[in-house]
Amino acid sequence: MSFVAHLINGISLGSVYALIALGYTMVYGIAKMLNFAHGDVIMIGGYVVFVTVSGMGLNPLAAIIISMAACTILGVVIERVAYRPLRGASPLAVLITAIGVSYLLQNVALLVFGSDTKAFTNVVPFPNLELFDGQLVIKSVTIVTVIVNVIIMVGLTLFVKKTKIGRAMTAVSEDKGAAQLMGINVNGTIAITFAIGSSLAAIAGVLLCSAYPALTPYTGSMPGIKAFVAAVFGGIGSIPGAFIGGILLGVIENLSKAYISSQLSDAIVFSILIIVLLVKPTGLLGKKVQEKV
Amino acid sequence: MKKLRINKTTKNDMITYAMVILAYIVVQVLVSTGHVSSLIQGLLVPFCTYVIVAIALNLTVGILGELSLGHAGFMCVGAFSSAVFSLACKDAMPGGLRFFLAILIGAAAAALVGFLVGIPVLRLRGDYLAIVTLAFGEIIKNIINALYLGVDSNGVHFSMKDALSLNMEEDGLMLIKGAQGVTGTPNDSNFTIGVVLILITLIIVLNFIHSRTGRAVMSIRDNRIAAESIGINVTKYKLIAFTLSASLAGVAGVLYAHNLSTLNALPKNFGYNMSILILVFVVLGGIGNMRGSIIAAVLLTLLPEVLRGLSDYRMLIYAIVLIAMMIFNWSPNAIFFRKRLKQRITAGKQPKKEEA
């Protein structure tokens, strides 16, 4: 029974990773840049909900909507101010800038909210599911996170495949120059991608903090990096890949914590990244792109 | 008299060496005349540490053209391997010899880890390489935090669980105590040694850059496919540069470890944040410019101490500086703007010349 419990805890953690990874994979797939600040947008989303619920006493649902709006604006502003000027510059420059943005968000949060841990109240109003006379408890947050994940996954897939904006995104990800010649507003499309990715980050932030109710300015950075690992694991750019990668990574992390060593679990997670990149660099569901000269 | 001809790069390098030596003399004079506060005196060795590790990272970022976010991990390897050696041989040999050997051991250990990490990592490029080096940095830190090492009359014991499972004899000496790290490292480093190490690092790195190997590495940075097509072994040269960079970071770690009596692998000193801090030094000093790295490392360590009131905003300012520098230096629009500006200035000057 304890194995099943660990497995469920793993899925709980993994579903949060999956949610973050969806945002990562969207942005990476289309803008071809690693948005290092994604994890910190999650943290900001968490703080917005914390302030509106615990500070102003708002209804959690309203707080989530406010948080999504705030993160969307934040994402678009970051893209406009920091990333757009560097479009066409070397990938190294973009990556360093993204690290700078991540650092900036962490330190702004540190100044505004302080370094002390905030106790986050669970915003999921359902009771936990108890099976086998309470031997096995499935947290309601886990169930909600998995459901939200599936909804977002299906929604995003439909959005990318069926709508005009979605197809514009695919075109931009294939070839920016050709997309521009076809009359697609490349900058606008990338801005929309960032908006969607960041609003997903807000949802991820709320669910992350509901499942693990300790909020600090550094809350988002480690899950953010691990979610990137998950996105690479599943195949970067692939929406279902992000989901599968996230769940698998969460399960692996929790099982290694339970059965191998709690101190080495991070090391094990990162070793998986390295092994995946060496054995199958495109990930589980990614497609191979040939480099052109 | 025949005019002494020095080429431009040699002259440039000489200026860098002279700058370090001059700074050293000025500091020594100030210290001996009592113009330096004890706070700053305590910072002299950390200055050297940061300068060396900034030069090391600049070799990877500026010359090899790949971003490493794991240099704090290499520092950590150098620091721990040398601290363990110094602690184990504390009474066996005189301080000078012991520290000299400690530096060699730290550099060799970091080079070995850098080589092993480099083999898989350097097959990747760009974002992946950065994130994998970050992952390796975290793995190294995690492993050292879980490591217990002791030595007694029966030989060396190590464990990944706890101190008891080492099964040590009573006369044994604990070297690494897991998360508590290494305690009692002899305080061997001082400012003079630090400056000598900086000079050695500079001599190695600057000569490396101008050597045939260094030029091969830079050609890979500028165009990998073109470099490959003229027969440059990409993996080999990348690995050489990366290993060298890791081993120099290890030397910085040795200096760091022997300045403190307690050495822990905390996120603060050997974690991701440290790697970012080093990156800030490199970016602010100018990517690929070793002299810039030295100046930036010293200034950015000194400023927050001098302006105590700003210490809360220190990291915030670093972040803004990082973003602003990147956009100013690398944005296609900014580059175009700077060119225009330059043209306008030179265009404005030319008519005046004609008048004269």
Side-chain angles (χ1 to χ4, degrees):
Chain A
M1 200 53 79
S2 74
F3 176 76
V4 180
H6 289 311
L7 198 66
I8 287 170
N9 279 335
I11 293 174
S12 162
L13 181 65
S15 56
V16 176
Y17 287 160
L19 206 47
I20 307 172
L22 280 173
Y24 253 119
T25 227
M26 279 283 289
V27 171
Y28 196 95
I30 288 147
K32 293 282 176 289
M33 64 159 290
L34 174 52
N35 183 13
F36 236 88
H38 193 73
D40 304 292
V41 175
I42 289 169
M43 175 268 299
I44 299 281
Y47 269 113
V48 171
V49 172
F50 174 77
V51 168
T52 45
V53 172
S54 304
M56 301 198 273
L58 271 178
N59 173 10
L61 202 64
I64 293 172
I65 291 169
I66 292 175
S67 164
M68 280 175 72
C71 285
T72 306
I73 295 169
L74 182 66
V76 173
V77 168
I78 291 172
E79 196 272 336
R80 183 69 194 84
V81 174
Y83 300 154
R84 192 178 295 180
L86 287 168
R87 198 148 299 146
S90 86
L92 186 72
V94 182
L95 187 59
I96 294 176
T97 312
I99 292 171
V101 172
S102 152
Y103 222 49
L104 179 71
L105 291 181
Q106 278 178 19
N107 286 295
V108 168
L110 193 65
L111 279 180
V112 176
F113 301 106
S115 59
D116 53 324
T117 310
K118 302 271 192 288
F120 195 88
T121 36
N122 191 342
V123 294
V124 179
F126 310 113
N128 292 345
L129 187 65
E130 295 192 9
L131 297 172
F132 308 110
D133 303 326
Q135 282 187 37
L136 197 62
V137 179
I138 303 178
K139 278 194 268 174
S140 54
V141 183
T142 309
I143 301 167
V144 170
T145 313
V146 173
I147 293 171
V148 167
N149 250 312
V150 172
I151 294 172
I152 290 176
M153 202 170 68
V154 173
L156 274 184
T157 314
L158 286 179
F159 178 76
V160 170
K161 292 242 163 81
K162 302 283 178 196
T163 65
K164 211 169 175 181
I165 302 170
R167 276 181 300 179
M169 284 176 180
T170 320
V172 170
S173 86
E174 291 281 335
D175 189 331
K176 279 196 195 99
Q180 194 145 29
L181 290 177
M182 296 298 123
I184 292 170
N185 179 352
V186 171
N187 281 335
T189 310
I190 292 180
I192 291 172
T193 313
F194 268 88
I196 295 173
S198 304
S199 65
L200 291 185
I203 302 174
V206 173
L207 292 171
L208 173 73
C209 296
S210 294
Y212 304 92
L215 188 59
T216 70
Y218 309 108
T219 298
S221 92
M222 216 7 118
I225 292 168
K226 282 185 188 158
F228 178 74
V229 175
V232 173
F233 193 16
I236 199 118
S238 150
I239 293 171
F243 178 71
I244 296 170
I247 299 279
L248 278 178
L249 198 75
V251 169
I252 293 168
E253 183 179 337
N254 240 311
L255 291 184
S256 58
K257 228 177 221 161
Y259 294 106
I260 302 174
S261 160
S262 59
Q263 267 175 317
L264 292 180
S265 69
D266 282 359
I268 292 167
V269 166
F270 287 129
S271 322
I272 289 170
L273 170 73
I274 293 157
I275 294 165
V276 167
L277 283 177
L278 293 180
V279 178
K280 200 170 183 307
T282 51
L284 296 174
L285 301 179
K287 56 178 179 204
K288 193 163 170 54
V289 182
Q290 201 71 41
E291 191 178 354
K292 288 177 200 139
V293 179
Chain B
M1 204 176 120
K2 211 173 155 189
K3 203 177 168 190
L4 190 66
R5 280 184 62 194
I6 305 173
N7 70 26
K8 206 177 153 194
T9 48
T10 320
K11 201 173 147 194
N12 228 333
D13 293 354
M14 288 304 165
I15 294 175
T16 312
Y17 298 133
M19 188 188 79
V20 174
I21 296 169
L22 197 71
Y24 171 71
I25 295 170
V26 169
V27 170
Q28 286 297 28
V29 169
L30 285 179
V31 168
S32 57
T33 51
H35 279 86
V36 179
S37 68
S38 61
L39 180 84
I40 301 293
Q41 281 194 30
L43 276 173
L44 289 176
V45 177
F47 276 160
C48 302
T49 312
Y50 290 138
V51 166
I52 294 173
V53 75
I55 296 172
L57 184 67
N58 207 344
L59 184 61
T60 305
V61 177
I63 307 302
L64 182 59
E66 294 288 6
L67 180 58
S68 162
L69 296 175
H71 263 59
F74 300 131
M75 243 179 104
C76 188
V77 170
F80 274 84
S81 57
S82 64
V84 163
F85 168 79
S86 293
L87 192 60
C89 305
K90 204 169 184 175
D91 308 316
M93 53 180 87
L97 177 66
R98 185 181 60 212
F99 191 56
F100 179 70
L101 288 177
I103 291 168
L104 292 186
I105 286 175
L112 180 69
V113 174
F115 180 72
L116 293 178
V117 168
I119 293 171
V121 163
L122 293 171
R123 288 171 53 183
L124 307 165
R125 275 195 296 278
D127 299 349
Y128 286 119
L129 189 140
I131 205 96
V132 171
T133 49
L134 191 162
F136 266 116
E138 292 295 312
I139 291 174
I140 291 169
K141 198 188 78 203
N142 266 327
I143 289 177
I144 286 183
N145 263 326
L147 187 70
Y148 291 84
L149 186 76
V151 62
D152 63 11
S153 47
N154 291 339
V156 181
H157 301 256
F158 86 97
S159 155
M160 299 291 281
K161 260 162 71 192
D162 50 46
L164 282 176
S165 52
L166 286 176
N167 287 323
M168 299 245 293
E169 302 279 326
E170 275 185 14
D171 61 335
L173 176 67
M174 282 291 286
L175 295 175
I176 303 182
K177 297 172 204 152
Q180 281 166 302
V182 182
T183 46
T185 322
N187 215 330
D188 282 339
S189 62
N190 59 41
F191 184 53
T192 309
I193 294 178
V195 170
V196 170
L197 284 178
I198 291 178
L199 286 174
I200 295 173
T201 311
L202 270 178
I203 291 170
I204 294 173
V205 169
L206 292 177
N207 280 306
F208 176 80
I209 295 171
H210 305 320
S211 72
R212 198 185 169 84
T213 320
R215 290 199 305 270
V217 171
M218 285 190 279
S219 76
I220 295 169
R221 172 194 68 187
D222 292 337
N223 192 332
R224 188 184 58 88
I225 295 169
E228 220 166 7
S229 73
I230 54 164
I232 286 173
N233 184 341
V234 171
T235 317
K236 181 182 139 193
Y237 284 109
K238 273 181 145 184
L239 205 52
I240 291 174
F242 193 73
T243 309
L244 181 62
S245 171
S247 92
L248 292 175
V251 172
V254 176
L255 203 58
Y256 183 89
H258 289 77
N259 189 40
L260 302 166
S261 51
T262 315
L263 183 66
N264 302 100
L266 298 172
K268 194 181 69 187
N269 52 11
F270 293 126
Y272 163 64
N273 278 345
M274 182 69 199
S275 296
I276 302 282
L277 189 67
I278 308 165
L279 182 67
V280 175
F281 297 153
V282 171
V283 171
L284 188 69
I287 292 174
N289 185 335
M290 299 301 157
R291 200 191 308 159
S293 292
I294 301 175
I295 298 171
V298 173
L299 275 187
L300 286 186
T301 328
L302 190 65
L303 274 183
E305 302 297 334
V306 178
L307 308 170
R308 273 275 158 196
L310 281 176
S311 62
D312 284 351
Y313 298 93
R314 173 181 161 193
M315 290 302 177
L316 190 68
I317 294 169
Y318 284 1
I320 293 170
V321 164
L322 192 67
I323 299 170
M325 287 297 287
M326 287 322 287
I327 292 177
F328 183 71
N329 281 335
W330 293 81
S331 158
N333 283 333
I335 292 171
F336 181 69
F337 174 76
R338 287 210 310 265
K339 255 186 203 153
R340 283 275 301 278
L341 204 67
K342 208 173 164 186
Q343 263 173 8
R344 195 165 292 172
I345 292 167
T346 46
K349 270 181 187 169
Q350 262 155 7
K352 275 181 192 166
K353 267 184 192 168
E354 280 172 15
E355 281 168 21

